[in-house]
Amino acid sequence: MKILLILNDPPYGTEHCYNALRLAHTLMKKDPEAEITVFLMADSVVAARRGQKTPDGYYNMERMVRRVALGKGGVLMCGTCMDARGMTDDDLLDGARRSTMDELAAATLAADKVLVF
């Protein structure tokens, strides 16, 4: 099964990204054969920035995104959204990569389920 999660909100301040990634982790655990792809766009692209430092006891989006990036689907980043926020490929954690709307469209058409956060 192919599942695509599209995230839009900032990584901190709301819990949309947090909950989407929790769901992605649970889906990966429940069905190890599933292909889970997360597409980060708008402010959510910051969730895949390397070097995040959060207070003890607080969730860290970098660690959460990395778990998905190392999985069977991957993490795709809206390149236009990255550019608008001054992010380069060097800012990204390993396993996340710059992408395009064309690739998002293809992933949407290929997916069995699409969830938007």
Side-chain angles (χ1 to χ4, degrees), residues 46-64:
V46 180
R49 182 183 295 271
R50 72 171 70 238
Q52 295 177 40
K53 300 200 183 340
T54 52
D56 288 341
Y58 198 74
Y59 64 87
N60 180 291
M61 294 304 295
E62 179 182 359
R63 285 192 293 259
M64 293 182 78

Side-chain angles (χ1 to χ4, degrees), residues 4 16 25 30 33 43 51 55 81 93 102 109 115:
L4 172 64
H16 291 143
H25 298 158
K30 294 279 186 186
E33 297 303 312
D43 285 338
C81 303
L93 59 89
D102 285 341
L109 291 171
L115 304 167

Side-chain angles (χ1 to χ4, degrees), residues 34-99:
E35 184 178 311
I36 310 296
T37 301
V38 173
F39 192 95
L40 302 175
M41 58 191 320
D43 285 338
S44 71
V45 296
V46 180
R49 182 183 295 271
R50 72 171 70 238
Q52 295 177 40
K53 300 200 183 340
T54 52
D56 288 341
Y58 198 74
Y59 64 87
N60 180 291
M61 294 304 295
E62 179 182 359
R63 285 192 293 259
M64 293 182 78
V65 171
R66 184 178 293 115
R67 281 180 59 194
V68 176
L70 298 176
K72 196 170 184 175
V75 176
L76 304 175
M77 313 286 295
C78 171
T80 303
C81 303
M82 287 175 58
D83 293 342
R85 286 151 186 86
M87 290 180 67
T88 66
D89 293 346
D90 292 335
D91 294 321
L92 299 180
L93 59 89
D94 293 339
R97 68 174 175 80
R98 179 181 290 268
S99 186

